[in-house]
């Protein structure tokens, strides 16, 4: 057993370091470390002492200022209490309209204001008449004047001079204005508070200064308000004693209210600014003093609400390279007056000597470091010079200088090592020459492969663009004219259904095109989720109905199993989930010829953990029930899906490749159906929804696909049943007449827009290429141009650029069959105002006209009814109160299978029978048309 030294890690590290470093480091660390440690401890101790001193100084100044403020603010409260006692003793009364009482009150206030020099106003207001008598000290010349509003001067607020007998002169000093003290803010706030109260800071009537008033309500022995006494004083006194305080050597102090406005400062500037004849209070950040202004700006960034300051707090910030120490001390009296005392002192007031010591310490450390480095270099050079030469030889070898020789003429170990280096250099020279030749050959092969890959990617992009354009152009006409035909009132129901079939077929063809484009987007990482709240039960029922007939046609069993605890209303990407299930179920039916297909849906662990293949008869499907009641939990949950068939199966070696683009199993190849895109797209969609997909299969026995997704629960109120798309039927009354030019080389595309826009009264013209469009634009001056991009003679880009050179007002909208996102940026940069892809829907055209021309359309009223969470089973007795005509119309719509018409008819009774409408809509949503038809027939028979 060996003893392990605690210094073993250091010894191991020293072996990895250069020898020069090992020799230099001890000298440098020993000297500079000792001096630096002493200097650091000295600096830290001095800084802590300075910080404590600064805190004590600021706390002491804050305490003294608080005491001064309390004493100063106690005077008006004392006067109001004295006056309240005088009123209680009968020395003062509120009969202010009586000349005798007025003389007594004026004399009393004159003596009182002589005793308290800090007071600028003492007054008394009557509740019965609104009269007011007060005396004021004009702060500029310390002159006393009476302010009177009573019956003697027709209740005009008037100022009077005081004669040599200390009485009011009969002639006013200046004309007054009507004044009723009862409607003044200070009177109303005091009456509402029902106690002594501080008013708001305000500016004087004839002086540009700030005042604060203290008011006190007076009640009689029946607890009725008889009047209010008031004492006002100027804030200049607070400014004065703040200015007299010595706040450090260069510090400043100021007081702010809870709104952050200045009350007083320790500088000579006023805490307000004059705007014409008005006095406007300012915040510290608007102060002329640099220190106060910077402090105010810092506090506004750090403190969201000054009302939250309930205890002293300290801050610090940098101003012009100097640390500033801030202390905030809240001030509050028993009447609710709330101010904040702010003291800011530069740290340099305390740190001057410490900084000098720090500079000396830094100089000593630098000198010690230089001395240590010089000594270390001298020592290391004596020891490491031959080693450095050998190291240089190794570097020469690394740079490919194979044939240079070492200059170490020694017979010791280093000399032997130098000879070995020279021998190794010759061998490396030969090996690298061979390797370099091989690398050049491989590089050339990779360049050729890269060029082929780039060419293939470019060809794919060109193919996608051309394919999209060529397929979407005829699809634009198919979908566009089918939408126009749905507006026709001349089609009978059978023809209308045929038009709908054409539209659905076009939409299906468009979805096939989009599958190829989705794969391209997936490869480029440009596809994402579009989540929404929807009814999962309804989605599953739709899919079951969709594939049941197809399975029955092949005489296959087809079962849907949904566990009871699967939530009904969920939030995720409904379209992507639908696409995944369609792809997997469709594959299962396509490759199954005997037996059946089972689709199982479970919540977390509801499904069996062991995968199995169908060998026994398929179980009966679970009943379609509602989800459990309870609080909706927005936490993500996992829903599991299994699609199992008894089909041809997949060989084990093929399973890893079926999720690759264009990858197909042998069964898929033999069927000569499909493109090999369904499973790769499904796999990517499942990953986007937070899940994964796996497959198990045995050739000749069947295949099991399992996948899960992450969803959150949704509330039934978030699910909207029925479409929200509105159909435009006409222009708004008195609409302007607009000229629209349609430019497209395909006549069918021009005809489509003419047919769509013509019924709305627009002036329309058409052009077959960009050259014709330019000529029509010059002569006709259209408001808006629908411009195709790919056209003969002159394309859309060239035509738009020609128009834009002399006209920036005409709206030009690009219409193209391209789907490449990067082309949209090129189009908008070429002068187009917007970008619409083919095939377009009619609402896209109407929305573009509304956006760019301000056209106002009149739409059919959209009817939406939300599905109730607590839908109940109803019977024919619930329909007894409805008219026979309504029941017959609903009966016809059910027999014809027109779901939209059924929803529209049911929505008509919602205003009077809301719950019944919701219950009926729930039956429609769950496709229970047989039961719905039964109760309608029974109710109609009894009506």
């Amino acid at each position: 057993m060996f003893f392990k030294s605690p210094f073993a890690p250091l010894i191991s590290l020293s072996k990895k370091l250069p020898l020069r470093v090992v020799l230099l480091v001890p000298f440098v660390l020993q000297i500079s470390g000792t001096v630096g440690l002493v200097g650091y401890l000295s600096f830290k101790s001095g800084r802590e002492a300075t910080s404590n001193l600064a805190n004590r100084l600021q706390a002491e100044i804050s305490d003294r200022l608080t005491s001064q403020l309390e004493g100063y603010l106690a005077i008006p409260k004392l006067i109001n209490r004295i006056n309240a006692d005088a009123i209680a003793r009968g020395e003062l009364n509120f009969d202010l309209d009586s000349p005798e009482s007025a003389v007594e009150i004026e004399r009393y206030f004159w003596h009182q204001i002589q005793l308290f020099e800090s007071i600028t106003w003492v007054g008394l207001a009557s509740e019965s008449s609104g009269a007011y008598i007060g005396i004021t000290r004009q702060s500029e010349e310390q002159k006393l004047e009476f302010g009177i509003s009573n019956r003697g001067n027709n209740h005009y607020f008037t100022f009077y001079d005081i004669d040599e007998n200390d009485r009011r002169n009969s002639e006013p000093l200046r004309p007054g204005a009507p004044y009723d003290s009862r409607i003044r803010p200070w009177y109303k706030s005091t009456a509402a508070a029902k106690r002594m109260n501080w008013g708001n800071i305000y500016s004087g009537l004839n002086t540009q200064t700030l005042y604060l008033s203290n008011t006190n309500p007076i009640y009689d022995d029946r607890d009725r308000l008889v009047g209010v006494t008031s004492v006002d004083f100027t804030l200049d006194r607070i400014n004065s004693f703040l200015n007299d305080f010595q706040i450090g050597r260069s510090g400043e102090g100021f007081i702010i209210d809870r709104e952050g406005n200045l009350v007083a400062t320790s500088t000579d500037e006023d805490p307000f600014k004059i705007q014409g004849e008005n006095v406007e209070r300012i915040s510290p950040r608007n102060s002329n003093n640099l220190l106060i202004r910077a402090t105010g700006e810092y506090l506004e960034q750090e403190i969201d609400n000054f009302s939250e300051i309930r205890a002293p707090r300290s801050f610090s910030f940098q101003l012009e390279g100097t640390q500033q120490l801030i202390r905030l001390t809240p001030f509050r009296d028993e009447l609710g007056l709330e101010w904040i005392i702010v003291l800011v002192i530069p740290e340099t007031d305390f740190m001057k000597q410490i900084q000098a010591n720090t500079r000396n310490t830094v100089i000593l450390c630098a000198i010690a470091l230089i001395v240590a480095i010089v000594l270390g270099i001298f020592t290391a050079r004596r020891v490491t010079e031959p080693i450095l030469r050998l190291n240089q030889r190794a570097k020469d070898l690394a740079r490919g200088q194979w044939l240079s020789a070492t200059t170490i003429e020694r017979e010791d170990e280093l000399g032997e090592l130098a000879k070995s280096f020279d021998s190794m250099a010759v061998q490396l020279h030969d090996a690298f020459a061979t390797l370099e030749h091989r690398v050049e050959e491989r590089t050339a092969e990779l360049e050729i492969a890269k060029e082929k890959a780039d060419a293939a990617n470019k060809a794919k992009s060109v193919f996608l663009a051309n394919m999209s354009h060529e397929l979407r152009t005829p699809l634009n006409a198919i979908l566009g004219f089918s939408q126009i035909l749905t507006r026709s009132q001349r089609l009978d129901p059978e023809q209308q259904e045929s038009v709908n079939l054409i539209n659905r077929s076009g939409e299906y063809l468009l979805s096939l095109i989009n599958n190829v484009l989705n794969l391209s987007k997936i490869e480029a990482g440009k596809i994402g989720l579009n989540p929404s709240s929807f009814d999962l039960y309804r989605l599953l029922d739709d899919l079951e109905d969709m594939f049941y007939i197809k399975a029955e046609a092949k005489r296959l069993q087809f079962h849907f199993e949904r566990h009871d605890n699967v939530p009904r209303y969920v939030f995720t990407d409904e379209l992507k989930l639908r696409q995944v299930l369609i792809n997997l179920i469709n594959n299962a039916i396509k490759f199954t010829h005997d037996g059946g297909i089972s689709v199982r849906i479970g919540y977390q662990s509801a499904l069996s953990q062991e995968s199995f293949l169908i060998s026994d008869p398929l179980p009966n499907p679970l009943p379609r029930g509602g989800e459990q009641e309870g609080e909706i939990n927005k936490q993500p949950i996992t829903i599991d899906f299994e699609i199992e068939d008894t089909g041809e199966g997949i060989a084990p070696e093929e399973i890893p490749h079926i999720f690759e683009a264009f990858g197909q199993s042998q069964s898929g190849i033999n069927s000569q159906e499909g493109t090999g895109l369904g499973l790769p797209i499904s796999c990517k969609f499942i990953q986007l929804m937070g899940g994964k997909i796996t497959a198990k299969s045995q050739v000749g026995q069947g295949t099991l696909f399992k996948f899960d997704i992450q969803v959150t629960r949704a509330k039934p109120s978030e699910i909207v049943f029925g479409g929200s798309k509105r159909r435009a039927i006409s222009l708004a009354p008195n609409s302007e007449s607009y000229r629209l030019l349609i430019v497209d080389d395909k006549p069918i595309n021009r005809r489509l827009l003419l047919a769509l826009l013509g019924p709305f009264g627009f002036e329309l013209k058409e052009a077959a290429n960009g050259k014709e469009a330019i000529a029509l634009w010059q002569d006709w001056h259209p408001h808006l141009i629908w411009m195709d991009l790919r056209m003969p003679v002159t394309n859309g880009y060239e035509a738009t650029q020609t128009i834009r050179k002399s006209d920036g007002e005409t709206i030009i909208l690009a219409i193209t069959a391209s789907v490449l996102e990067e082309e949209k940026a090129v189009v908008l940069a070429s002068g187009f105002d917007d970008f619409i892809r083919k095939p377009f829907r009619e609402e896209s055209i109407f929305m573009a006209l509304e956006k760019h021309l301000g056209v106002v359309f009149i739409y059919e009223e959209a009817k939406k009814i939300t599905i109730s969470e607590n839908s109940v089973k109803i019977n024919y007795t619930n329909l007894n109160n409805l008219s026979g005509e309504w029941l017959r119309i609903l009966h016809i719509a059910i027999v014809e299978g027109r779901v939209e018409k059924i929803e529209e008819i049911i929505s008509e009774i919602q205003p009077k029978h809301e719950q019944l409408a919701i219950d009926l809509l729930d039956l429609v949503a769950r496709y229970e048309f047989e039961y719905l038809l039964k109760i309608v027939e029974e109710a109609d028979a009894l009506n």
Side-chain angles (χ1 to χ4, degrees), residues 178-191:
Y179 186 88
D180 186 341
S181 59
R182 293 171 298 184
I183 64 174
R184 304 302 296 174
W186 61 269
Y187 190 99
K188 293 169 69 176
S189 64
T190 304

Side-chain angles (χ1 to χ4, degrees), residues 214-459:
N214 182 270
T215 55
N216 187 34
I218 307 298
Y219 294 88
D220 61 12
D221 53 1
R222 296 183 181 178
D223 201 25
R224 293 179 302 183
L225 180 67
V226 295
V228 174
T229 64
S230 66
V231 178
D232 296 21
F233 60 93
T234 177
L235 299 183
D236 290 343
R237 292 296 185 92
I238 302 178
N239 263 354
S240 298
F241 71 72
L242 269 178
N243 205 350
D244 292 340
F245 269 88
Q246 183 65 30
I247 305 174
R249 291 193 299 111
S250 56
E252 298 291 355
F254 56 92
I255 301 174
I256 59 175
D257 58 20
R258 291 294 180 175
E259 285 72 37
N261 293 321
L262 282 173
V263 176
T265 71
S266 61
T267 65
D268 294 331
E269 70 169 330
D270 294 321
F272 56 84
K273 62 181 179 180
I274 300 172
Q275 298 287 352
E277 296 181 355
N278 297 322
V279 175
E280 180 180 333
R281 298 182 61 199
I282 62 174
S283 67
R285 60 183 173 84
N286 294 324
S287 173
N288 295 325
N289 182 277
L290 175 61
L291 186 55
I292 294 178
R293 182 170 65 252
T295 302
E297 292 173 353
Y298 173 78
L299 291 178
E300 285 192 3
Q301 294 175 359
E302 293 296 318
I303 301 174
D304 295 330
N305 187 354
F306 286 102
S307 297
E308 297 175 355
I309 305 297
R310 298 297 178 185
R313 293 178 62 181
S314 297
F315 300 90
S316 64
F317 72 101
Q318 290 280 342
L319 175 61
E320 296 181 348
T322 302
Q323 192 79 358
Q324 309 292 328
L325 307 177
I326 305 174
R327 181 179 177 87
L328 272 61
T329 303
F331 174 83
R332 179 185 178 95
D333 74 346
E334 73 279 3
L335 298 184
L337 181 65
E338 295 186 4
W339 290 345
I340 299 175
I341 301 172
V342 183
L343 299 178
V344 54
I345 303 176
E347 191 181 47
T348 53
D349 286 6
F350 312 97
M351 294 291 293
K352 189 172 184 180
Q353 186 59 43
I354 293 176
Q355 290 172 348
N357 293 337
T358 302
R359 284 194 298 270
N360 294 336
T361 302
V362 171
I363 293 172
L364 289 174
C365 288
I367 294 173
L369 184 62
I370 293 172
V371 171
I373 292 174
V374 170
L375 292 175
I377 291 174
F378 177 77
T379 304
R381 185 174 181 181
R382 296 287 296 174
V383 176
T384 62
E385 185 174 357
I387 299 175
L388 291 175
R389 290 182 183 178
L390 190 58
N391 183 47
Q392 183 60 45
R393 175 60 179 140
K395 292 180 179 179
D396 292 341
L397 289 178
R399 290 194 292 267
Q401 298 176 6
W402 314 106
L403 303 180
S404 61
T406 57
T407 58
I408 300 176
E409 299 295 336
R410 299 173 62 158
E411 297 298 329
D412 56 7
E413 291 83 354
L414 290 175
E416 290 296 324
L417 184 60
K419 293 176 184 178
S420 299
F421 262 90
D422 292 339
S423 176
M424 181 181 61
V426 175
Q427 298 178 24
L428 287 175
H429 177 266
D430 295 340
F432 271 96
T434 303
L435 179 62
E436 198 172 272
H437 178 69
R438 293 179 180 176
V439 169
E440 288 177 355
E441 291 179 349
R442 184 58 178 164
T443 301
E445 294 174 0
L446 291 175
E447 284 293 330
I448 294 172
K450 181 177 180 298
E451 290 175 1
K452 290 180 179 179
D454 291 342
N457 280 334
K458 184 176 181 181

